[in-house]
Amino acid sequence: MANKIVQKDQIKNLLNKVAQSSQLIAPIKSDSITTFRPVSSAEAVVLDYQNGVIPPKDFFFPQSEKMFTYNINDPTWDIREVEGVPERVLFGARPCDVKSILLLDKVFDAEFRDNYYLDKRNKTTIVALSCNDCRHTCFCGAFGISPDTAEGADLLFTDLGDKYLVEVLTEKGEKLVNSAKEFFADDDGSGAGAKAKATEMAKAKQMQISLEGVKEKLDNMWEHPIWDNESLRCIGCGTCTYVCPTCHCFDIVDYNDQSAEGYRYRCWDSCQFSNFTRAAGGHQPRPSKKERIRQRFLHKLRYFVDRYGDFGCVGCGRCLEKCPVNLDIAQIITKVKEVG
Amino acid sequence: MSCNCNTREVASPLLPYIATVNKIIEETPTIKTFQVTFDEPGILENFGNKPGQCAMLSILGVGEGMISITSSPTRKGMLEFTIAKVGRLTSVIHELEVGDKMAIRGPYGNHFPFEEMKGKNCLFVAGGVGLAPLRSLIDYVLDNRDDYGRVDIVYGARCYDMLCFKYDLFDRWPKIKDTHVHVTLDREDPKWDGRVGFITLDWLQEICPSVENTVPVTCGPPIMIKLQLENFKKMGFKPEEIITTLEMNMRCGVGKCGRCNIGEKYICVDGPVFNAAQIQKLPPEY
Ligand SMILES: Cc1cc2nc3c(=O)[nH]c(=O)nc-3n(C[C@H](O)[C@H](O)[C@H](O)COP(=O)(O)OP(=O)(O)OC[C@H]3O[C@@H](n4cnc5c(N)ncnc54)[C@H](O)[C@@H]3O)c2cc1C
Ligand code: SF4
Ligand code: SF4
Ligand code: FES
């Protein structure tokens, strides 16, 4: 499908129409923080935001997710899986976060396909929004991602001032356009040029980091003072993993509120916590912050590449922005390139 | 008519089946073996577990834990799990009685190379509850006795009361053709007049003087595995011939929760069985 144009003064009407037939998930501002939330009307949606504090990962792999319910007094336990999600549209995801969903696919849509994830994934149309501006912590370019392309999205919107350019990338995207045809006009051919101009600043402003040779170096940096040095100031809070769009570790827990009815849920967990790998009998392969920091960086920059053929980071910059002690993956990459 | 727009297309790998405990054997004061069958017909027949695989056992309302399937698939109609009481879940499991329920999902992980081992002599070396995973392979070999050569089972425990599977070690296995059981205790014990001391290189060389056409397999606590891998190498086995298992804390068992990795390998799907050559390539984090 050829590129389309949506007038800016029509965007909220378009979103309201979308919200009538699907669940709409979009960025809203709450207590000065921009986050993705299901919204029933477009009124609260903000579209001139820099990337949100928490990625939209939550809508595919929730921070806490009920898997099934049971009754411990029932002789058969009466296990029932919880219902899936309705059809939904995720609107306004940034290119790095869209790419992170492709990385999560590699984990959840693999051997032992994870139906809780796939249900949400299959029922979600992803509408990406190019970045016209970016944060000082962004470095998506290092991973071959760009503020104005969105591999993994169904539609890509770019803010051109008074209108949006809409690139239709998949059939799912085309379906969405056809369901609200009246809002989409044909692009007269000037869209691409205007888009390049609109996203110029984001490209220029982000940190320019190259990953050349980093994986190869890390293959031989198991024992290196960098892990001791960097881990000294880490306080093991786990923030870095909780704000990360690609982190996928979870725990599985049963919950009973003093009653017979209970449920089993999974919730995000973090490799930065000491009990993450502590096993029965006291076996602890990662006894100190050194091993845990090393695990996080090697997982993103080495193990994920070996296992899935891509880096496990998209350069969104959230971990370095939110870390209370400024442990910075971008700096680590730079330091790795400098050392031996 | 019910609407099915909310139903999912794939069954969850995290959803367990219900099983009933048929038999409980008290192995040691802290270790019990549970024999179970699935309640739903057809599940057990299609379970398809191979020697060395594990399953996720749970008690609803308490939690889940990864446990090796200690019975061989040649033993039909049931699964056996040998469980040490170490914490929350395993304490509740130890309270179970015959007729009680367990929830089980699996089987998970790779398996011992029982096909490749055909025609070879087997040197099985286990410590403590490490005999549990190995027992699935031992019984597989012994139930297909003519497919394999000489079998030596070397087993060490801290004291007499800590020996698991005494009925196998002292009654069942020694009666089988060309099968030799060697048991040692870490220290003197009034109930024991056999060998005392660790499983040493000298002793292994005495039991298995030639490494020719022999496959060594070892299971046990991490410290013991490290020691036996060294012993096997000194005996002249090549790293790719030496088989063992690795253990990491696990939650999902299906390569997703990120808990059990050593380097790029997830022990739950790529393991638990590895040869020493594969282990040498992994970061030393086990
Ligand atoms: C592949 C594999 C195969 C296994 N096979 C078997 C088997 O055949 N038989 C068997 O008995 N076990 C086996 N295990 C181990 C088994 O999974 C654990 O023993 C079991 O899950 C423990 O559960 P629990 O709830 O009883 O213990 P938990 O309550 O989780 O704790 C058990 C122990 O863990 C340590 N621990 C945990 N959390 C903490 C903490 N926060 N602080 C301090 N210490 C802590 C303590 O030492 C504690 O006693 C296997 C494990 C794996 C990975
Ligand atoms: S956010 Fe920073 S301090 Fe907290 S665990 Fe991560 S690296 Fe350590
Ligand atoms: S590691 Fe940091 S920069 Fe990379 S994707 Fe995760 S939060 Fe973003
Ligand atoms: S136990 Fe979850 S990844 Fe291995």
Side-chain angles (χ1 to χ4, degrees), chain A residues 213-228 230 290 294-295 297-298 302-303 332-340, chain B residues 283-284:
Chain A
V214 168
K215 158 76 170 67
E216 293 70 22
K217 275 212 167 147
L218 287 173
D219 282 343
N220 298 304
M221 281 177 61
W222 181 257
E223 280 303 338
H224 195 280
I226 194 171
W227 310 126
D228 295 284
E230 294 292 329
K290 169 192 165 187
R294 178 171 61 192
Q295 161 66 18
F297 293 120
L298 290 188
R302 171 179 156 188
Y303 306 155
I332 295 274
I333 292 170
T334 309
K335 282 184 189 169
V336 164
K337 288 168 73 167
E338 283 164 6
V339 298

Side-chain angles (χ1 to χ4, degrees), chain A residues 137-279:
Chain A
T137 45
C138 290
F139 62 112
C140 69
F143 300 95
I145 304 162
S146 157
D148 68 350
T149 56
E151 189 198 352
D154 298 302
L155 292 174
L156 173 61
F157 276 52
T158 304
D159 187 341
L160 301 180
D162 55 349
K163 61 193 179 202
Y164 288 97
L165 174 71
V166 182
E167 290 162 84
V168 186
L169 306 172
T170 66
E171 253 171 55
K172 246 183 182 174
E174 195 167 331
K175 225 172 118 190
L176 194 150
V177 170
N178 286 334
S179 74
K181 265 198 174 87
E182 62 275 28
F183 296 101
F184 295 89
D186 285 335
D187 169 33
D188 62 8
S190 66
K195 174 185 167 185
K197 226 176 151 52
T199 55
E200 217 167 38
M201 178 161 77
K203 283 184 212 166
K205 192 168 143 190
Q206 70 166 250
M207 288 192 276
Q208 308 295 326
I209 289 173
S210 149
L211 280 160
E212 213 188 307
V214 168
K215 158 76 170 67
E216 293 70 22
K217 275 212 167 147
L218 287 173
D219 282 343
N220 298 304
M221 281 177 61
W222 181 257
E223 280 303 338
H224 195 280
I226 194 171
W227 310 126
D228 295 284
N229 295 344
E230 294 292 329
S231 69
L232 282 179
R233 64 186 191 277
C234 172
I235 57 169
C237 64
T239 301
C240 49
T241 55
Y242 275 73
V243 296
C244 179
T246 69
C247 276
H248 59 83
C249 290
F250 61 84
D251 195 1
I252 297 179
V253 187
D254 281 9
Y255 179 79
N256 287 65
D257 181 22
Q258 310 267 307
S259 72
E261 308 253 342
Y263 55 86
R264 182 163 291 172
Y265 68 98
R266 64 176 173 191
C267 54
W268 297 351
D269 203 344
S270 173
C271 61
Q272 299 307 294
F273 297 154
S274 63
N275 59 5
F276 189 68
T277 50
R278 180 153 48 209

Side-chain angles (χ1 to χ4, degrees), chain B residues 31 37 48 56 74 85 99 113 118 142 155 182-183 248 267 275:
Chain B
I31 299 174
T37 47
M56 202 50 107
T74 48
K85 182 173 162 178
K118 282 191 176 152
L142 296 179
Y155 181 46
H182 317 267
V183 179
M248 289 286 279
I267 305 308
N275 67 42

Side-chain angles (χ1 to χ4, degrees), chain A residues 139 240 243-246 296 300 313-320 329:
Chain A
F139 62 112
C240 49
V243 296
C244 179
T246 69
R296 181 161 86 87
K300 304 251 174 248
C313 170
V314 294
C316 74
R318 288 186 179 92
C319 60
L320 44 134
I329 189 170

